[in-house]
């Protein structure tokens, strides 16, 4: 952030818009306390600029002395605040209108409206958080499931950033020793790449490889996945949707082709947020309304992370099922075969043996969407497919973003090169180490270019 920008005192409503009743206007910057002092009347006649008291009760008044809201004012002096600057939080309890009036008053007195993520960006620029923690703060706001929340909490409190710091320290240490050898080649330095140093680098490499390996789980916890339920009409797609959702949002009917709209809901599979998309029967539509539904179903299937292909085992496999399977085989998305209506047939092998369809499935489950039989197993299989067998617990240090995984992969590759050529010249070893450090720096934000930081912080909410 250019220097003149951090000279400003910024202000924003930090609580989400809505009828919450309680809300916070937050200011940060060198004039924050003074600006609020000018608009605040303490009920005990106290001056918030003086003394060590941190919480004050009173009223915010406009320039004509009218009360805008009864508030608690929380003063946090630099550097003991989120941004490390002077921060004042005004806790109002009158809903959005008074909060806006308080914000307007602060702006009229010289504060500037904060850009999205600007408080967190100041915390980052002032060294209070590294980029991985700043991004985790944003994830905390958006976490949809308990597991995602635990993961974001762990990262926000610094588990990942500590792991990154340790790796960076090990590499920087090694680089310093190797550079010494480059600078003073004639001097009698101890053996350059000794066993202890190599050992440390090997451990760091293993740690990096592990973070790359578990990143997909982290990304999944954060972003979730979209599951499309596909099948010809009347096989039980809506019933499955409902069974997964355990409520009755999708309309269940006996008439083929009545689920015309795409319905979407988010469920949790072992902590992974999954957007469940119920599609109309993908088949040759006879009328226009349905044609649109069919089109959307195809799109949903194409965009999904996983397709649940539902068949009705109480009926023989029809040309429609086969045509659909052929259609799905053209899409690269993995397919789980869901053999529904098991309650209507005897024996688990009845109907649709796995080889009947011209389609490779990653898993097959037998269920009854109406009795609930097999649903647990289906959910368990889905979660295992998504997370893999050895998914880390959500609160382990984990990478959560595609860009983090990419940087870590490059860091690991550079280090691997170094370990393979440990006998090479110090110059070459230093090149690998510098590359690895630069890649790590992209995750902590140390080497992230300004324009990328702009983009990252712009995706935050205002007031964060
Ligand atoms: P969709 O057109 O694929 O969405 O199918 P629906 O979910 O609307 O179900 C069609 C019909 O099959 C309804 O009458 C459901 O009650 C029935 N059905 C769905 N799943 C099952 C099941 O597991 N067992 C039985 N016996 N009936 C089911």
């Amino acid at each position: 952030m250019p220097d003149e920008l951090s000279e400003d005192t910024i202000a924003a409503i930090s609580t989400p818009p809505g009828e919450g009743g309680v809300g916070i206007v937050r200011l940060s910057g060198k004039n924050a306390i003074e600006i609020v002092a000018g608009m605040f009347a303490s009920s005990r006649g106290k001056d918030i600029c003086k003394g060590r008291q941190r919480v004050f009760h009173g009223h915010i008044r406009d320039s004509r002395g009218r009360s805008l809201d009864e508030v608690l004012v929380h003063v946090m002096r630099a550097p003991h605040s989120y941004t490390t600057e002077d921060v004042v939080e005004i806790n109002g309890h009158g809903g959005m209108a008074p909060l806006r009036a308080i914000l307007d008053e602060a702006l009229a007195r010289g504060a500037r409206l904060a850009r999205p993520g600007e408080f967190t960006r100041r915390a980052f620029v002032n060294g209070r958080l590294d980029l991985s923690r700043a991004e985790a703060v944003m994830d905390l706001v958006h976490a949809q499931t308990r597991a995602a929340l635990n993961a974001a909490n762990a990262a926000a409190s610094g588990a990942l950033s500590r792991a990154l710091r340790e790796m960076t320290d090990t590499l920087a240490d090694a680089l310093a020793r190797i550079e010494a050898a480059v600078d003073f080649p004639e001097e009698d330095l101890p053996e350059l790449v000794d066993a202890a140093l190599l050992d440390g680098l090997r451990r760091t490499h293993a740690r990096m490889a592990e973070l790359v390996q578990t990143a997909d789980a982290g990304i999944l916890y954060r972003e979730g996945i979209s599951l499309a339920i596909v099948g010809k009409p009347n096989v039980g797609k809506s019933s499955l949707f409902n069974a997964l959702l355990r409520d009755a949002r999708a309309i269940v009917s006996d008439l083929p082709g009545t689920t015309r709209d795409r319905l979407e809901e988010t469920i949790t599979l072992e902590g992974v947020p999954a957007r469940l998309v119920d599609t109309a029967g993908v088949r040759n539509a006879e009328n226009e309304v349905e044609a649109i539904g069919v089109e959307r179903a195809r799109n949903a299937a194409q965009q999904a992370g996983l397709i649940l292909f539902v068949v009705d085992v109480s009926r023989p496999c029809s040309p429609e099922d086969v045509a659909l399977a052929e259609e799905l085989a053209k899409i690269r998305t993995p397919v789980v075969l869901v053999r529904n209506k098991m309650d209507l047939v005897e024996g688990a092998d009845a109907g649709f043996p796995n080889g009947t369809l011209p389609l490779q499935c990653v898993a097959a489950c037998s269920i009854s969407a109406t009795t609930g039989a097999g649903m647990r197993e289906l959910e368990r299989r889905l979660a295992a497919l998504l997370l893999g067998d050895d998914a880390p617990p959500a609160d382990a240090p984990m990478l959560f973003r595609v860009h983090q995984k990419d940087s870590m992969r490059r860091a690991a590759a550079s280090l691997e090169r170094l370990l393979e050529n440990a006998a090479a010249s110090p110059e070459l070893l230093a090149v690998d180490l510098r590359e690895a450090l630069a890649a790590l720096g992209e995750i902590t934000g140390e080497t992230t270019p300004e324009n990328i930081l702009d983009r990252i912080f712009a995706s935050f909410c205002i007031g964060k």
Side-chain angles (χ1 to χ4, degrees):
M1 178 159 29
D3 275 350
E4 75 269 19
L5 288 187
S6 49
E7 287 289 294
D8 295 351
T9 295
I10 52 172
I13 298 174
S14 279
T15 37
E19 291 297 303
V22 186
I24 296 177
V25 173
R26 176 152 66 173
L27 290 89
S28 178
K30 57 180 198 262
N31 299 325
I33 300 175
E34 193 190 314
I35 289 172
V36 176
M39 54 198 264
F40 175 69
S42 155
S43 49
R44 295 184 168 197
K46 300 232 168 143
D47 181 353
I48 66 169
C49 300
K50 294 201 183 115
R52 300 181 46 164
Q53 186 176 337
R54 293 173 29 159
V55 182
F56 301 84
H57 173 259
H59 285 81
I60 296 290
R61 299 188 192 284
D62 67 12
S63 51
R64 288 192 241 156
R66 285 177 308 197
S67 170
L68 297 176
D69 200 2
E70 182 186 351
V71 299
L72 282 178
V73 166
H74 196 163
V75 177
M76 287 155 275
R77 292 192 169 78
H80 305 291
S81 74
Y82 179 59
T83 59
T84 77
E85 304 170 338
D86 280 343
V87 168
V88 182
E89 287 184 359
I90 304 172
N91 291 250
H93 53 273
M96 275 323 268
L99 284 178
R100 288 213 186 91
I102 294 171
L103 177 62
D104 279 348
E105 192 58 32
L107 299 180
R109 289 174 178 275
R112 166 172 70 70
L113 187 64
R115 302 195 174 90
E118 197 168 357
F119 290 98
T120 307
R121 186 160 189 173
R122 286 187 174 196
F124 165 71
V125 169
N126 296 333
R128 166 103 163 38
L129 301 170
D130 73 359
L131 185 62
S132 73
R133 283 177 76 180
E135 289 184 301
V137 168
M138 177 159 72
D139 293 342
L140 269 181
V141 178
H142 295 297
Q144 300 182 51
T145 66
R146 180 54 73 95
L149 189 66
N150 287 347
N153 249 321
S157 66
L160 173 61
S161 122
R162 272 192 300 280
L164 293 168
R165 171 64 36 216
E166 275 169 30
M167 292 181 201
T168 306
D169 286 350
T170 307
L171 298 190
D173 228 44
L175 182 61
R177 288 171 61 178
I178 287 171
E179 275 176 341
V182 177
D183 291 344
F184 308 102
E186 307 307 326
E187 299 214 354
D188 194 14
L189 285 160
E191 197 184 344
L192 180 63
V193 184
D194 62 18
L197 185 127
L198 266 185
D199 221 42
L201 292 179
R202 261 196 214 101
R203 268 202 308 274
T204 303
H205 178 261
R207 198 84 198 275
M208 288 176 170
E210 194 189 340
L211 282 170
V212 171
Q213 208 214 330
T214 57
D216 286 342
I219 294 168
L220 203 62
Y221 278 131
R222 194 177 81 79
E223 293 182 355
I225 190 167
S226 150
L227 300 178
I229 306 181
V230 176
K232 68 178 183 183
N234 244 11
V235 292
K237 295 183 298 297
S238 310
S239 308
L240 171 61
F241 183 86
N242 285 340
L244 284 169
L245 215 64
R246 297 204 178 76
D247 79 17
R249 198 160 117 62
I251 310 146
V252 181
S253 98
D254 280 328
L255 295 173
T258 44
T259 313
R260 292 211 174 94
D261 248 331
R262 254 177 75 181
L263 289 172
E264 271 194 53
E265 289 283 354
T266 300
I267 59 167
T268 297
L269 289 168
E270 313 257 318
V272 176
R275 283 176 305 285
L276 204 56
V277 184
D278 182 11
T279 63
V282 181
R283 59 168 192 166
N284 294 326
E286 280 149 23
N287 63 51
E288 223 172 284
V289 179
E290 187 154 302
I292 295 167
V294 170
E295 190 56 40
R296 283 199 215 150
R298 268 205 198 97
N299 286 341
Q302 259 155 9
Q303 286 160 19
L306 197 64
I307 293 171
L308 305 185
F309 180 28
V310 187
V311 295
D312 176 349
V313 291
S314 69
R315 291 167 183 265
C317 178
S318 74
E320 264 182 310
D321 292 307
V322 172
L324 241 170
E326 281 169 349
E327 190 80 15
L328 292 181
K330 291 184 209 150
I331 306 174
R332 296 174 73 97
T333 315
V335 176
V336 174
L337 179 65
V338 181
R339 297 142 47 101
N340 188 33
K341 308 200 188 181
M342 285 305 288
D343 55 304
L344 297 180
V345 295
E346 282 178 21
D349 293 335
F352 286 98
N354 290 352
T356 319
L357 295 164
L359 173 70
Q360 287 285 326
C361 298
V362 290
C365 280
S366 300
I367 63 156
S368 166
T370 46
T371 68
M375 287 301 299
R376 263 282 138 88
E377 179 60 16
L378 172 65
E379 284 165 37
R380 207 192 53 71
R381 293 285 288 281
L382 290 178
L385 274 173
L386 297 180
L387 284 168
D389 291 332
D390 43 19
D395 51 3
M398 239 189 294
L399 303 172
F400 296 96
R401 287 162 196 266
V402 178
H403 81 84
Q404 295 176 330
K405 182 182 174 186
D406 177 54
S407 300
M408 190 58 82
R409 201 193 282 118
R410 281 184 283 114
S414 302
L415 200 50
E416 195 170 321
R417 242 188 341 266
L418 182 152
L419 289 167
E420 279 167 5
N421 305 311
S425 74
E427 282 91 348
L428 285 181
L429 298 184
V431 168
D432 288 334
L433 275 174
R434 274 196 217 100
E435 272 176 23
L437 276 165
L440 278 183
E442 292 165 5
I443 309 177
T444 57
E446 274 162 53
T447 55
T448 310
E450 205 66 23
N451 59 336
I452 306 240
L453 289 175
D454 285 345
R455 226 178 38 223
I456 292 173
F457 284 101
S459 61
F460 277 48
C461 349
I462 290 197
K464 262 286 154 194

